[in-house]
């Protein structure tokens, strides 16, 4: 009896088709960094096969991905040395250039290299400034070995639809790329809310995995990961008795408790508040007491359950990961990428 993350292949296919409907004509660069947002590369074949390109953040991820597919790869961090450039070329990656220190490494290449120039339009994390971008462009345009495959930028506030930075970033990006054929700006939030950011390549991440980049769930998307764990014990607490470390939760009436075999050691958030819903036999039941390393306790007074029944922690249409994230002061991205290696991953239809 242990924790299982079941990865729905049909939900992946569905969510990818939602991206394609919303951005018709654009090519899809699926973000599968961080082991496919924690869903495991081995379990996401519909994405690998159905996307135009797959993006990873670092070379070690590109190596793992290349071992299972010949699909085109985009390396988001770019390269930092001649030997990293060699590795990236031998893995047949397109390579992002986001810092001036990477320009000479690329420009000295002995083989053809495809680059994506990343402009910083206001996020101020990775990216070339407007003037650095212009210098880099003129250098690369005269180098027959360097192909500029695309120019990209990234939104800082796309999940806040009315944030003024969205317009400023888009305006600057358009000004700098009027003569550019292949452009890419949109992440999931922009795909879902700003059609004018589609351009030639879109870069969906979280929405492919069925979670919304906004605070509220999006019913157009289907949850991909269902996280479940077994009920290990059931007991009745008398009114006035407490449960768990710190004895922080006290029953105000006689209460039936299910003790479930999952905890922060598996990646269930320790900060989940009392009342965070857990789905047991189709009924949402409240978490009570502190989350331990291996166990949580749930008030099942409102449903019938037996030892061995599976509780769903997230990933059902009735209990989306966003709800658990909101109850734990975090975001779905962190919960999905945070499962530990004690969890078994399986591909489900
Ligand atoms: C991760 C990432 C994305 C995808 O973001 P989501 O919010 O998950 O859609 C897009 N672009 C870049 C550069 C990224 O690093």
């Amino acid at each position: 009896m242990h924790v299982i993350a079941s990865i729905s292949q049909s939900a992946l296919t569905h969510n990818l088709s939602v991206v394609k409907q919303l951005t018709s004509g654009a090519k899809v660069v699926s973000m599968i960094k961080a082991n496919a947002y924690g869903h495991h590369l081995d379990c996401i074949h519909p994405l690998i096969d159905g996307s135009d390109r797959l993006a990873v953040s670092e070379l070690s991820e590109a190596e793992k991905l290349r071992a299972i597919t010949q699909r085109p790869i985009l390396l988001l961090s770019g390269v930092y040395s001649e030997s990293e450039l060699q590795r990236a070329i031998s893995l047949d990656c397109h390579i992002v250039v986001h810092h001036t220190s990477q320009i000479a490494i690329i420009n000295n290449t002995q083989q053809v290299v495809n680059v994506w120039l990343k402009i910083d339009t206001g996020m101020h994390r990775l990216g070339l400034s407007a003037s650095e971008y212009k210098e880099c462009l003129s250098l690369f345009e005269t180098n027959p070995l360097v192909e500029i495959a695309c120019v990209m930028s990234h939104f800082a506030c796309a999940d806040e639809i009315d944030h003024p930075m969205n317009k400023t970033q888009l305006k600057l990006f358009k000004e700098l790329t009027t003569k550019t054929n292949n452009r890419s700006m949109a992440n999931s939030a922009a795909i879902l809310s700003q059609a004018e950011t589609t351009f030639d390549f879109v870069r969906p991440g979280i929405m492919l995995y069925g979670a919304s980049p906004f605070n509220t769930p999006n019913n157009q998307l289907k949850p991909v990961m269902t996280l479940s764990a077994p009920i290990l014990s059931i007991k009745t607490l008398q009114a006035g008795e407490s449960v768990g470390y710190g004895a922080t939760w006290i029953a105000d009436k006689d209460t039936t408790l299910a003790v479930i075999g999952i905890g922060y050691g598996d990646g269930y958030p320790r900060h989940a508040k009392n009342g965070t819903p857990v789905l047991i036999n189709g009924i949402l039941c409240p978490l009570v007491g502190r989350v331990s390393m291996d166990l949580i306790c749930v008030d099942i007074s409102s449903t019938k359950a037996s030892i061995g029944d599976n509780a769903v922690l997230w990933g059902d249409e009735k209990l989306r990961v966003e709800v658990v994230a909101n109850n734990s002061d975090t975001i779905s991205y962190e919960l999905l990428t945070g499962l530990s290696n004690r969890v078994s991953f399986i591909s489900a239809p």
Side-chain angles (χ1 to χ4, degrees):
M1 299 220 285
H2 67 290
V3 181
I4 291 175
S6 141
I7 307 300
S8 163
Q9 308 297 291
S10 56
L12 285 168
T13 304
H14 170 84
N15 297 333
L16 184 58
S17 78
V18 172
V19 169
K20 290 181 178 173
Q21 275 162 30
L22 290 171
T23 62
S24 63
K27 294 210 165 87
V28 179
V29 186
S30 292
M31 294 291 137
I32 60 167
K33 59 197 186 195
N35 211 4
Y37 284 47
H39 290 65
H40 285 209
L41 290 184
D42 298 338
C43 299
I44 56 144
H45 279 281
L47 270 193
I48 293 179
D49 298 337
S51 311
D52 296 292
R53 185 165 287 278
L54 305 163
V56 294
S57 47
E58 53 169 67
L59 264 172
S60 68
E61 294 181 321
E63 267 156 8
K64 291 193 185 103
L65 183 58
R66 187 52 84 223
I68 60 171
T69 180
Q70 288 310 307
R71 307 287 300 163
I73 298 178
L74 176 64
L75 178 61
L76 293 167
S77 62
V79 292
Y80 289 86
S81 65
E82 163 76 10
S83 71
E84 286 194 357
L85 176 64
Q86 288 309 319
R87 272 165 73 200
I89 292 175
S90 66
L91 293 166
D92 198 17
C93 293
H94 282 199
I95 303 171
V96 171
V97 175
H98 60 79
H99 193 268
T100 49
S101 63
Q102 299 177 314
I103 296 174
I105 299 167
I106 298 285
N107 208 36
N108 291 335
T109 184
Q110 305 300 310
Q111 293 156 271
V112 174
V113 53
N114 282 280
V115 298
W116 287 45
L117 300 185
K118 183 167 186 174
I119 314 176
D120 175 10
T121 52
M123 179 145 183
H124 299 143
R125 203 179 53 177
L126 301 183
L128 303 166
S129 70
S131 60
E132 289 166 352
Y133 163 69
K134 286 176 193 160
E135 279 171 41
C136 177
L137 196 62
S138 52
L139 200 62
F140 286 171
E141 276 172 347
T142 56
N143 186 333
L145 290 178
V146 181
E147 285 292 331
I148 299 168
C150 189
V151 178
M152 65 185 283
S153 189
H154 194 48
F155 283 114
C157 306
D159 58 334
E160 297 169 51
I161 296 177
D162 296 320
H163 198 289
M165 267 185 82
N166 295 326
K167 283 210 168 69
T168 351
Q169 287 194 262
L170 182 60
K171 183 162 172 285
L172 179 57
F173 185 65
K174 280 186 174 161
E175 281 165 14
L176 290 169
T177 58
T178 43
K179 298 198 198 80
T180 311
N181 289 330
N182 288 316
R183 296 188 276 182
S184 174
M185 186 98 199
N187 57 4
S188 298
I191 290 169
L192 290 164
S193 66
Q194 305 180 57
E196 68 278 21
T197 65
T198 299
F199 296 109
D200 308 287
F201 288 89
V202 290
R203 305 193 307 269
I206 197 76
M207 70 183 288
L208 294 170
Y209 306 99
S212 168
F214 306 110
N215 272 338
T216 45
N218 179 330
N219 292 324
Q220 247 186 311
L221 304 170
K222 294 197 171 142
V224 172
M225 178 195 292
T226 302
L227 183 68
S228 63
I231 297 179
L232 300 181
S233 168
I234 293 179
K235 58 180 56 180
T236 306
L237 234 62
Q238 309 299 310
E241 288 179 329
S242 67
V243 67
Y245 285 119
T248 54
W249 187 85
I250 297 165
D252 58 7
K253 54 181 182 331
D254 293 359
T255 302
T256 312
L257 273 193
V259 184
I260 299 172
I262 190 168
Y264 62 79
D266 303 283
Y268 189 82
R270 201 183 82 88
H271 295 290
K273 297 184 180 70
N274 279 322
T276 301
V278 174
L279 190 64
I280 297 180
N281 296 333
I283 306 287
L284 292 172
C285 303
L287 178 80
V288 294
R290 282 194 194 149
V291 172
S292 324
M293 188 183 293
D294 312 319
L295 300 168
I296 60 172
C297 297
V298 176
D299 176 352
I300 56 161
S301 302
S302 59
T303 184
K304 284 206 172 63
S306 316
I307 288 179
D309 285 356
N310 266 324
V312 172
L313 290 311
W314 65 62
D316 188 280
E317 311 240 346
K318 281 191 185 159
L319 178 54
R320 289 174 178 262
V321 65
E322 295 93 315
V323 174
V324 181
N326 287 338
N327 273 283
S328 318
D329 295 322
T330 184
I331 53 176
S332 56
Y333 300 70
E334 188 183 27
L335 296 185
L336 294 173
T337 54
L339 296 184
S340 76
N341 58 15
R342 188 160 70 181
V343 177
S344 299
F345 280 72
I346 55 170
S347 266

